[in-house]
Amino acid sequence: MRLFLSSYRFGAHYDRLAAMVGEPGRVALIPNACDAWPEMWAGAVTSDTVPLRKLGYAPETVDLRDFVGNPAELARTLAEFPLLWVRGGNTFVLRAQFARSGADLVLPELLAADALVYAGYSAGACVLTPDLHGIETVDDPAEVLPTCGIEPQWDGLGLVDRAIVPHLDSPTDPTGECGALAESYRAAGVAHWALTDDDAIIVDGDRIETLIGRGGS
């Protein structure tokens, strides 16, 4: 299993993602964490497509809504890509779309077979954790039902063993909600990674590495 999990895009560690992926090629871009905000959806896709293209990748949008109730087709589609790029947004909406499409079953199988690299930031990282409780302080679970037609799910995929708090001390979090979430996890003894926008978590087989800032680990 190969995972690159970050707070914001590549953080300060694009070189580590590149080393895992190898030669830049096709990328499946999954923007479904933004499904509750239709007026922002196209712009969100563009905002990730442009930096990926600049690095030599060929991003193709894979909309999980096209695979609702058809996990076999989703598995066939994702298996064509060496890299999966799952952008941020609302973690609960993303989790619901994973459930509706069967991505929550398909992805663990593809990753166990080392068929692709999963790169996810913000919600795209948080959705892989064991438990989403606490994230409701920064992402609104009430957006799930009107967007996805199902109730919010509070379990993550459990592909990493602890919570992830993105955007620590970030200009994208001017009110400090993410810092407050990290503090609440600390107070409750909940194991977690608190990531600034420069940080990333690497999972490569049995090895887990925390990449801090611009060069530390």
Side-chain angles (χ1 to χ4, degrees):
M1 181 167 66
R2 290 173 292 161
L3 309 175
F4 181 92
L5 308 178
S6 66
S7 173
Y8 186 68
R9 294 191 182 142
F10 311 106
H13 303 283
Y14 168 68
D15 58 324
R16 298 299 302 276
L17 175 62
M20 280 202 297
V21 176
E23 190 71 21
R26 297 175 71 202
V27 181
L29 168 58
I30 295 183
N32 295 97
C34 297
D35 286 351
W37 317 318
E39 70 284 355
M40 298 172 57
W41 204 87
V45 171
T46 299
S47 72
D48 281 282
T49 297
V50 169
L52 286 166
R53 284 180 176 161
K54 285 182 177 178
L55 291 166
Y57 294 92
E60 301 173 37
T61 301
V62 175
D63 188 343
L64 296 179
R65 294 172 293 187
D66 294 336
F67 299 90
V68 171
N70 195 354
E73 183 60 27
L74 178 63
R76 285 191 290 269
T77 298
L78 295 182
E80 297 174 358
F81 293 90
L83 174 62
L84 184 62
W85 182 265
V86 186
R87 65 156 289 129
N90 186 316
T91 305
F92 294 100
V93 170
L94 181 61
R95 177 66 182 94
Q97 302 295 40
F98 270 30
R100 296 175 71 224
S101 63
D104 53 356
L105 303 176
V106 165
L107 281 172
E109 292 180 355
L110 291 172
L111 289 164
D114 201 30
L116 49 75
V117 175
Y118 181 107
Y121 71 88
S122 196
C126 293
V127 76
L128 298 194
T129 64
D131 186 348
L132 304 185
H133 285 90
I135 296 176
E136 71 275 10
T137 61
V138 294
D139 290 344
D140 187 359
E143 291 184 331
V144 173
L145 185 58
T147 301
C148 306
I150 63 174
E151 294 291 337
Q153 296 186 219
W154 294 84
D155 64 318
L157 272 63
L159 295 180
V160 293
D161 66 356
R162 65 193 67 190
I164 292 174
V165 180
H167 308 308
L168 195 67
D169 301 324
S170 169
T172 64
D173 180 32
T175 59
E177 291 175 340
C178 292
L181 175 57
E183 180 55 39
S184 72
Y185 281 155
R186 280 192 293 270
V190 175
H192 65 282
W193 289 295
L195 304 180
T196 74
D197 287 349
D198 282 341
D199 302 340
I201 305 297
I202 297 281
V203 178
D204 193 351
D206 294 332
R207 184 182 181 191
I208 301 174
E209 187 177 357
T210 307
L211 306 178
I212 302 298
R214 297 185 177 275
S217 63

